[in-house]
Amino acid sequence: MTRKRKTNLIDSESYASTHVLVPDELAEKIRTAAARISKEDLAEPGIETDSHVTLLYGIVSDDPSLVAARLQKFTPFSMLTTGISLFERPEYDVLKIDVISPGASMIHDSLRVSLENKWEWPNYQPHITIAYLQKGAGRRYCVPGILPGFYGHIFSAGEVVFTDSKDKKTILELGSKT
């Protein structure tokens, strides 16, 4: 996503990013769960409306061919959801669904070391953001039974969405010269 937001990673500038879209059926379950979040608990930018797993955010170049060239060596891969948890940031809580995916991690690592980017977190943790919550409000949504658990959803990724800093999206096939 190229949405402007302040984080401890990147200031309010926009950069390019890569992500994998979540299948429609799972995205609908996530939207249904997010609708159960109290409006008073939401922080800016609120509920994530585009369910996805980010591969790399903070890419400096807006040229999708640079990413496409690196994706040629990768084949479609799977992702597995493993439950709800939080990123606790100084300014807000990020309610998320954890994802395990060696393929996503390999692509992240490849893009991170081969493209100029502003990634500054020590570890890549694949996830699907549900919502941004007021500081301290996130823990209550991690309690079993409050929201669906999101355990064991498996989905495949055969393409990557490249979004430039102006929010123009380009679909890039894995293993092709798109």
Side-chain angles (χ1 to χ4, degrees):
M1 300 301 301
T2 58
R3 171 182 312 162
K4 290 185 180 188
R5 66 181 109 158
K6 288 194 166 200
T7 69
N8 62 354
L9 167 67
I10 298 172
D11 59 23
S12 62
E13 294 181 53
S14 288
Y15 293 95
S17 66
T18 55
H19 65 272
V20 172
L21 291 174
V22 170
D24 291 341
E25 183 179 318
L26 179 56
E28 181 58 33
K29 289 179 183 180
I30 295 168
R31 282 190 291 276
T32 299
R36 296 171 62 183
I37 296 172
S38 170
K39 292 192 186 332
E40 293 79 35
D41 288 339
L42 294 174
E44 280 296 321
I47 293 173
E48 178 62 64
T49 58
D50 181 27
S51 296
H52 65 276
V53 176
T54 299
L55 298 172
L56 181 63
Y57 180 80
I59 300 170
V60 174
S61 174
D62 276 342
D63 184 355
S65 70
L66 297 175
V67 174
R70 282 144 182 93
L71 294 178
Q72 290 178 38
K73 65 182 177 183
F74 295 98
T75 57
F77 58 94
S78 296
M79 298 190 180
L80 170 68
T81 62
T82 61
I84 293 177
S85 68
L86 294 176
F87 284 134
E88 295 179 279
R89 300 287 181 232
E91 60 276 16
Y92 50 71
D93 292 344
V94 180
L95 186 65
K96 64 185 176 75
I97 301 167
D98 296 316
V99 172
I100 294 175
S101 177
S105 295
M106 287 190 300
I107 291 174
H108 167 84
D109 291 345
S110 175
L111 296 177
R112 184 174 167 193
V113 300
S114 64
L115 296 174
E116 183 180 359
N117 65 83
K118 300 295 183 179
W119 183 272
E120 296 177 3
W121 281 303
N123 300 310
Y124 172 63
Q125 298 176 32
H127 66 278
I128 304 163
T129 299
I130 299 171
Y132 299 84
L133 303 175
Q134 296 293 329
K135 187 72 186 141
R139 290 183 185 259
R140 78 184 77 166
Y141 295 100
C142 294
V143 173
I146 302 298
L147 296 179
F150 291 102
Y151 292 97
H153 294 276
I154 300 172
F155 58 99
S156 295
E159 60 188 28
V160 170
V161 179
F162 175 84
T163 307
D164 73 14
S165 64
K166 309 227 180 350
D167 212 29
K168 179 183 176 195
K169 294 176 180 12
T170 304
I171 305 298
L172 305 173
E173 297 295 324
L174 294 174
S176 76
K177 294 182 181 183
T178 304

